[in-house]
Amino acid sequence: QVQLVESGGGSVQEGGSLRLSCAASGYSRSTFCMGWFHQAPGKEREGIATINAWGYINYADSVKGRFTISKDNAKNTLYLQMNSLKPEDTAMYYCAARDSDYCRSLVAPDYNYWGQGTQVTVSS
């Protein structure tokens, strides 16, 4: 059973940085895609960045150049380094995974497994 547990959210000023972590277990490392999504109140859950076992990475245009996704296979942990944060980045952030190494999708229904989320709040 795949389990995903996020941590690292919090409140920061505009222009600040945060690093989110997602501890993962129960998945097959050779055939997976993992990613980060966010959801603001009243809005749909949106994909931010994805990464697969082969190192393929995909970013949403809104975070390119500001956010970096990475993984530590030894620790079974996924990270999202968020720099130059903006108030519009305020949302609940979720770690997600799917039983496929196809990682171009940033569409939430394409992902099978979800963490409980961690809140990120950016104030101006």
Side-chain angles (χ1 to χ4, degrees):
Q1 182 178 353
V2 176
Q3 289 190 321
L4 305 171
V5 181
E6 303 97 333
S7 60
S11 297
V12 296
Q13 296 277 358
E14 184 174 8
S17 298
L18 282 173
R19 189 177 81 155
L20 306 183
S21 300
C22 173
S25 61
Y27 66 97
S28 171
R29 271 197 246 159
S30 63
T31 55
F32 78 92
C33 171
M34 295 185 71
W36 291 96
F37 289 70
H38 67 187
Q39 186 170 20
K43 295 190 176 181
E44 292 187 354
R45 193 169 296 188
E46 299 176 330
I48 301 170
T50 59
I51 185 169
N52 70 8
W54 317 112
Y56 171 84
I57 291 175
N58 189 27
Y59 289 106
D61 288 343
S62 61
V63 304
K64 283 180 181 176
R66 300 191 299 125
F67 291 8
T68 302
I69 190 171
S70 62
K71 57 184 175 68
D72 184 329
N73 289 333
K75 295 182 179 180
N76 290 333
T77 301
L78 181 73
Y79 300 101
L80 184 69
Q81 178 66 45
M82 305 186 293
N83 299 328
S84 302
L85 282 161
K86 305 175 182 180
E88 52 263 44
D89 295 318
T90 295
M92 187 72 78
Y93 282 69
Y94 296 92
C95 176
R98 65 184 304 199
D99 294 321
S100 166
D101 60 3
Y102 180 77
C103 249
R104 293 189 66 181
S105 173
L106 293 173
V107 178
D110 288 345
Y111 290 76
N112 310 94
Y113 309 103
W114 293 89
Q116 81 287 352
T118 186
Q119 178 68 37
V120 171
T121 302
V122 184
S123 57
S124 58

